[in-house]
């Protein structure tokens, strides 16, 4: 096998010639007898694994005797993509010192493709001092030690791997090994998505009793470093606390220092789908109320793992005794930020006369739009934009060509209150944005006046407006549109600067002092850096967005994006031209709805294509 592999490397020539690993896949091939592995045949060259097939298994190949420096570098780059316990085979490519100090769990650098290895710099290296091999690619993200994914504007990645000769294991000669290398793992996006998957950890909004999603990446299968299965990895990540970005706005019910009981690497449910989670002594003396909150965090977190069905969580103390037991239904009823999250939802839109209408789109039958009660449904106050509160009792309407924000009932014909926010912008597009309701029942809107762009929060939708602190909104930048998450902790904003509109996710922080509340949006992060321009955005669940945008030199596309900026190969929705607005439900029962210049109001049911609903209309929204 070594001779065959070496021959293929030489035949393929310069650069990374062949994966120094064996790939095995059992999925659609089961019917063809994948379980019967061949005992002969050649090793085939594979450039990169299929990003969509998480069942592909990669097994690292140890360095052969007398391997040349190029083989050592290539073999190590490939071994980093494997499931090898402890990355033991990858460490065989390193010197003894490098093998001891290399920490693959410290970080992951994600490139668009597998890293390219160039020829050694002959001018810079000598046979005695070793050889330095440049590795390059296009960096798109970084994953830190707390499993948090952070996207980046695609940029050149240029590092090097240095190899030296050290005495061989038998002491009779020398062998090439790596003594200097980039920190952590360096993976192409396909290998990253094959090995890792996104899950939501859940913490409580600061001072509140509902949970907030905090997406992280864990291994698809057993973690090579901790030897933990995916369920145990997920629990461990939750216990470690929130990611650095979300941390200032959330709390954990787990006492500081709470960990899994020492030695636990596997957690499985019993025949009642109850997961028993043994903890260390830090959790021994908690109250029943705190324990219930801890169990709720676990139930919400484990609900994202399709490989494990968990209906109940039993927390155990260090002596193995039960601390508390909580069921999935109770956790959802008491701690979900969305009322009855399992129900279907109906969207609203503004018709050609400025009236607020409701659509019933949950069934296959496309019912006629229904005019809602109240002043917004009669057309007495023609709407430019609208937002319906999460209880579906009130609507917030932008009226008078964007000059005023008014709130009124959509269940009775009472008159709306006086304007709660006004704008003096010179043009409609320079005035108030579409509003948005958060889980507190507070109302948010941006004033796009170029003289003084600001962000407002109206407590309860009717109190004295609070100007939200946005110190980063400067140098001509302004918020074009916004959507606040159901938990009220995160805000998705389309921010325009220098004629370019990008999607930013900000962290909402609230401070209460002497009856006064201060609100700020902190640390905005680019959520879709690969999109050159973003047109519309909507929340589509606890940590997912539907985004309409355009890549550099590309066409407009509608796609799902995680709040941490990560995407998958299945995130792009069917094509639709001229989309100006999009609305998505919190759950899976209702379709995505969009406003298209060509087709009017359209809907997208899972497994189907876009279907026209209403030819004339705009501003489709789900409650929120």
């Amino acid at each position: 096998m070594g001779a065959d592999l070496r021959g293929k490397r030489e035949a393929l020539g310069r650069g990374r010639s062949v994966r120094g690993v064996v790939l095995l896949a059992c999925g659609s091939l089961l019917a063809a007898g994948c379980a019967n592995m061949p005992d002969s045949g050649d090793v085939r060259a594979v450039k990169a694994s299929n990003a969509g097939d998480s069942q592909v298994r990669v097994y690292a190949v140890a360095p052969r005797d007398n391997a040349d420096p190029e083989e050592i570098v290539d073999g190590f780059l490939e071994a980093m993509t494997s499931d090898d316990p402890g990355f033991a085979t990858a460490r065989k490519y390193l010197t003894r010192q490098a093998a001891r100090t290399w920490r693959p769990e410290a970080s992951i650098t994600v490139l668009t493709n597998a890293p390219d290895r160039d020829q050694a710099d002959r001018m810079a290296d000598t046979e005695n001092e070793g050889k330095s091999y440049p590795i390059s690619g296009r960096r798109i993200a970084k994953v830190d030690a707390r499993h948090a994914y952070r996207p980046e504007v695609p940029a050149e990645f240029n590092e090097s791997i240095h190899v030296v000769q050290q005495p061989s294991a038998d002491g009779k000669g020398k062998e090439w090994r790596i003594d200097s290398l980039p920190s952590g793992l360096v993976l192409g996006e396909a290998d990253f998505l094959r090995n890792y998957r996104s899950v939501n950890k859940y913490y409580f909004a600061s001072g509140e009793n509902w949970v907030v999603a905090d997406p992280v990446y864990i291994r698809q299968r057993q973690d090579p470093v901790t030897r933990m299965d995916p369920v145990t990895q997920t629990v461990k990540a939750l216990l470690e606390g929130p990611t650095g970005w979300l941390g200032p706005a959330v709390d954990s019910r787990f006492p500081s220092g709470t960990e899994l009981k020492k030695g636990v690497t596997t957690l499985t449910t019993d025949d009642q789908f109850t997961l028993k989670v043994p903890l260390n002594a830090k959790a021994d003396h908690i109250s029943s109320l705190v324990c219930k909150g801890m169990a709720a965090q676990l139930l919400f977190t484990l609900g994202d793992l399709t490989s494990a069905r968990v209906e109940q969580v039993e927390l155990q103390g260090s002596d193995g005794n039960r601390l508390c037991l909580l069921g999935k239904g109770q956790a959802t009823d008491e701690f979900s930020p969305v009322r009855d999250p399992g129900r279907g939802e109906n969207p609203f839109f503004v018709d050609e006369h400025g009236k607020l209408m409701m659509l019933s789109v949950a069934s296959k039958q496309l019912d006629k739009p229904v005019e809602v009660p109240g002043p917004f449904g009669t057309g007495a106050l023609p709407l430019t934009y609208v937002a319906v509160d999460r209880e579906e009792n009130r609507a917030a309407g932008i009226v008078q060509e964007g000059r005023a924000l008014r709130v009124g009932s959509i269940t009775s014909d009472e008159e709306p209150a006086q304007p709660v926010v006004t704008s003096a912008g010179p043009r409609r597009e320079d005035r108030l944005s579409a509003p948005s309701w958060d889980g507190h029942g507070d109302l948010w809107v941006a004033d796009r006046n170029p003289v003084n762009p600001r962000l407002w929060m109206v407590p309860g939708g009717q109190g004295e407006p609070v100007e939200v602190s946005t110190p980063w909104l400067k140098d001509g930048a302004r918020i074009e549109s916004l959507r606040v998450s159901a938990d009220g902790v995160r805000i998705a904003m389309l921010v325009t600067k220098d004629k370019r509109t990008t999607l930013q996710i900000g962290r909402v922080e609230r401070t209460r002092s002497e009856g006064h509340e201060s609100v700020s949006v902190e640390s905005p992060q680019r959520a879709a850096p690969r999109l050159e321009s973003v047109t519309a955005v909507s929340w589509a669940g606890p940590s997912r967005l539907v985004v309409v945008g355009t890549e550099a030199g590309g066409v407009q596309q509608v796609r799902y994006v995680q709040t941490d900026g990560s995407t998958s190969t299945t995130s792009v929705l069917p094509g639709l031209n001229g989309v100006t607005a999009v609305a998505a439900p919190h759950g899976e029962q209702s379709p995505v709805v969009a406003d298209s210049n060509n087709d009017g109001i359209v809907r997208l049911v899972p497994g189907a294509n876009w279907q026209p609903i209403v030819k004339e209309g705009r501003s489709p929204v789900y409650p929120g």
Side-chain angles (χ1 to χ4, degrees), residues 400 402-405 419-425 431-432 447 454 456 465:
Q400 297 174 336
R403 293 185 181 89
L405 170 64
V420 292
V421 177
T422 59
S423 173
R431 298 169 188 155
L432 298 178
D447 186 353
R454 291 182 289 180
W456 294 99

Side-chain angles (χ1 to χ4, degrees), residues 197-443:
R197 60 155 298 172
S198 179
V199 298
N200 288 323
K201 303 188 296 179
Y202 284 86
Y203 300 93
F204 284 90
S206 292
E208 304 295 350
N209 209 34
W210 58 75
V211 292
V212 181
D214 187 17
V216 293
Y217 272 85
I218 65 166
R219 295 287 294 202
Q220 295 266 17
R221 294 169 290 274
Q222 184 187 75
D223 183 81
V225 177
T226 65
R227 312 293 176 89
M228 291 180 174
D229 62 23
V231 172
T232 314
Q233 291 177 56
T234 303
V235 174
K236 178 177 181 290
L238 174 67
L239 296 177
E240 288 172 345
T243 57
W245 183 84
L246 187 65
V250 296
D251 301 319
S252 178
R253 296 291 193 265
F254 290 91
S256 179
T258 303
E259 297 177 349
L260 284 167
K261 195 171 182 178
K262 190 174 181 180
V264 174
T265 59
T266 301
L267 292 171
T268 56
T269 56
D270 60 19
D271 55 2
Q272 300 298 314
F273 303 107
T274 299
L275 186 73
K276 297 179 180 179
V277 181
L279 302 173
N280 65 2
K282 292 289 186 179
D284 281 351
H285 304 294
I286 57 174
S287 68
S288 60
L289 186 62
V290 169
C291 191
K292 182 189 289 187
M294 294 161 58
Q297 287 182 243
L298 282 165
L299 282 164
F300 279 102
T301 298
L302 295 170
D304 270 6
L305 288 177
T306 56
S307 59
R309 178 183 171 186
V310 180
E311 295 295 331
Q312 296 184 107
V313 161
E314 177 183 311
L315 294 182
Q316 298 177 341
S318 59
D319 57 3
N321 289 330
R322 177 192 289 183
L323 298 175
C324 66
L325 177 71
L326 186 70
K328 188 175 180 180
Q330 186 180 358
T332 301
D333 291 342
E334 294 190 29
F335 304 113
S336 174
V338 177
R339 184 193 64 181
D340 192 11
R343 70 188 176 100
E345 302 170 82
N346 290 317
F348 298 78
F349 76 100
V350 178
D351 73 5
E352 69 269 30
H353 306 296
K355 296 180 180 181
L356 179 60
M357 310 291 286
M358 187 183 78
L359 288 166
S360 178
V361 295
S363 65
K364 293 182 179 180
Q365 181 68 34
L366 295 177
D367 297 328
K368 186 177 179 180
V370 176
E371 183 180 294
V372 303
F376 296 129
T378 62
L381 289 171
L383 295 167
T384 303
Y385 306 114
V386 71
V388 175
D389 75 350
R390 297 183 185 275
E391 299 298 319
E392 298 186 28
N393 293 323
R394 297 178 296 167
I398 303 297
V399 298
Q400 297 174 336
E401 293 294 305
R403 293 185 181 89
L405 170 64
R406 301 183 73 168
V407 177
S409 172
I410 59 171
T411 60
S412 66
D413 291 328
E414 66 185 48
E415 288 298 315
Q418 292 299 308
V420 292
V421 177
T422 59
S423 173
R427 304 174 301 168
R428 186 172 76 173
E429 56 268 30
D430 294 326
R431 298 169 188 155
L432 298 178
S433 71
S436 178
W437 298 87
D438 66 19
H440 295 255
D442 298 335
L443 183 60

